[in-house]
Amino acid sequence: EICVGILGNIACFPATCETLTQNKDLGAVLLLLLGDADPPTLLETTRLLLTCLSHKDICFPWLERIRQHTSVCSSVSFIMSSSTNSTPLLPYTLHLLAFWFVKL
């Protein structure tokens, strides 16, 4: 959770986000983290993905990874069905879905 949160913070800078984006293994791990059961980890993972998707020049490799990663849909579906409004995870996930649908 803490490591992903730190990555989310430094991904605010386009050059750093581009460097993170170039690491395909990191991208795969982040998408796998969407299947984690720990809400703080899920929150930080969705925040990092949102940050990367918000950079116009960097979002396309992430969208391609999301398209290719078979467990993303089931992970997001689980988050949506089991989250409550009392945590910021649900709004972050909805925002992430909105990005995917707009960009795809």
Side-chain angles (χ1 to χ4, degrees):
E1 163 202 355
I2 294 169
C3 292
V4 179
I6 291 169
L7 290 174
N9 290 341
I10 65 173
C12 292
F13 301 100
T16 307
C17 189
E18 186 173 356
T19 301
L20 294 174
T21 300
Q22 291 171 358
N23 187 329
K24 293 180 182 181
D25 292 333
L26 176 63
V29 168
L30 288 173
L31 293 178
L32 285 172
L33 283 176
L34 286 174
D36 197 285
D38 181 51
T41 300
L42 289 169
L43 177 65
E44 295 302 329
T45 302
T46 55
R47 189 174 69 84
L48 174 55
L49 291 171
L50 276 170
T51 302
C52 292
L53 287 170
S54 69
H55 295 289
K56 292 179 184 178
D57 298 334
I58 301 169
C59 69
F60 297 108
W62 286 103
L63 291 170
E64 187 58 34
R65 285 182 188 140
I66 291 165
R67 238 183 259 133
Q68 293 175 354
H69 207 278
T70 56
S71 67
V72 170
C73 287
S74 61
S75 296
V76 169
S77 176
F78 175 77
I79 292 169
M80 298 295 293
S81 65
S82 61
S83 295
T84 64
N85 286 333
S86 62
T87 67
L89 180 58
L90 188 59
Y92 272 48
T93 305
L94 287 170
H95 197 194
L96 193 60
L97 282 172
F99 258 100
W100 291 342
F101 287 117
V102 168
K103 303 275 184 179
L104 293 176

